[in-house]
Amino acid sequence: IRIKVTERVAVAYVKLGGEIRALDQYGIAYRALDAAPKGLPEVRVEVADPRRRQQTLTAVASVVKAIKGAPLRADLQFISASSKDSVVLDLTRGRTVTWGSAGNAKRKLAVLSSLLQISAKQYDVSAPDQPTTRK
């Protein structure tokens, strides 16, 4: 018998029930933390139903994984979502990115990289073949 143990690694953190918890790449809030960790984005999810909240956290974790290492990651302040299909990135300088669902992440990231060259307050890549901006 061979057993392989893989330690969970935090990709973000979330406040649930007044407690700060580490969030892994699968959206599992797995450990309570004493304080918000530096270098990890905050996830803000306002979903009461436990099943839907977990689906939303899974989607957000997938987006965090997709943007890891991307230049926009340095501008990321927090990520919010009210459902698995409504992920929003809050960037510095009052800018927001409507990401939508976790699907098609590579395409969304490529489109967003070009869109960020445009001076705007809102960027929408939820439908990456029809992106929009708004001042």
Side-chain angles (χ1 to χ4, degrees):
I1 295 176
R2 188 174 200 187
I3 298 173
K4 181 180 178 184
V5 177
T6 304
E7 185 177 350
R8 293 183 189 273
V9 176
V11 297
Y13 71 94
V14 61
K15 293 178 184 173
L16 294 173
E19 187 175 61
I20 300 171
R21 301 189 61 83
L23 192 71
D24 75 2
Q25 67 178 340
Y26 304 108
I28 305 296
Y30 66 96
R31 181 176 64 211
L33 303 171
D34 293 331
K38 294 192 185 299
L40 293 181
E42 178 184 358
V43 172
R44 297 179 182 174
V45 173
E46 298 295 328
V47 181
D49 178 69
R51 187 173 134 281
R52 288 187 178 163
R53 181 176 51 240
Q54 187 55 53
Q55 291 172 337
T56 303
L57 288 172
T58 300
V60 170
S62 181
V63 173
V64 170
K65 187 176 173 185
I67 64 173
K68 181 180 180 184
L72 80 96
R73 176 63 182 83
D75 292 338
L76 183 64
Q77 296 189 130
F78 63 88
I79 301 171
S80 62
S82 57
S83 76
K84 65 180 182 168
D85 298 317
S86 64
V87 178
V88 176
L89 312 178
D90 189 284
L91 305 179
T92 58
R93 300 190 309 267
R95 300 172 297 157
T96 60
V97 176
T98 301
W99 188 274
S101 70
N104 214 356
K106 286 184 181 180
R107 177 79 175 129
K108 290 177 181 180
L109 190 56
V111 169
L112 182 57
S113 294
S114 295
L115 279 185
L116 288 174
Q117 305 305 312
I118 300 168
S119 178
K121 290 291 183 188
Q122 297 175 355
Y123 303 87
D124 189 331
V125 293
S126 58
D129 292 331
Q130 297 176 334
T132 61
T133 61
R134 184 179 295 178
K135 290 195 178 229

